[in-house]
Amino acid sequence: MNKTLLSLIFGAIIGSVLSYFLLDYENQTMELLNYYGEESKIVHELDFNYISNTAAFIIVASLTVFLTISLIERINNS
């Protein structure tokens, strides 16, 4: 299997698991009272800090897996 594809797959898995356990997801909701005649309206938003930090975890984990595979190949070829 191609080491780039392998590192992306394992980096996504490892980065997602790490971000799930290490980062705190904050649910962003706002309740608007008396919004154009409605009693209340609830607006749900995404937590962009969580999404960007998760992407950073996935990128770092992918690079780590790629460099580890490259190092193992270099040691085995020597």
Side-chain angles (χ1 to χ4, degrees):
M1 188 175 235
N2 191 3
K3 67 180 175 180
T4 305
L5 180 64
L6 190 66
S7 67
L8 286 175
I9 291 171
F10 280 116
I13 292 170
I14 293 169
S16 298
V17 169
L18 283 176
S19 66
Y20 178 76
F21 287 113
L22 296 178
L23 298 177
D24 185 27
Y25 177 73
E26 296 177 9
N27 190 8
Q28 305 260 336
T29 58
M30 294 186 304
E31 184 175 1
L32 304 174
L33 300 174
N34 198 10
Y35 183 73
Y36 290 110
E38 295 181 24
E39 276 189 31
S40 68
K41 180 179 177 97
I42 297 175
V43 178
H44 299 283
E45 295 180 358
L46 293 175
D47 188 5
F48 288 105
N49 289 331
Y50 181 78
I51 293 171
S52 61
N53 289 337
T54 301
F57 271 115
I58 290 173
I59 291 169
V60 168
S62 296
L63 286 173
T64 304
V65 170
F66 183 80
L67 292 175
T68 304
I69 292 172
S70 298
L71 182 67
I72 291 171
E73 284 181 348
R74 194 174 296 164
I75 290 173
N76 286 338
N77 289 337
S78 297

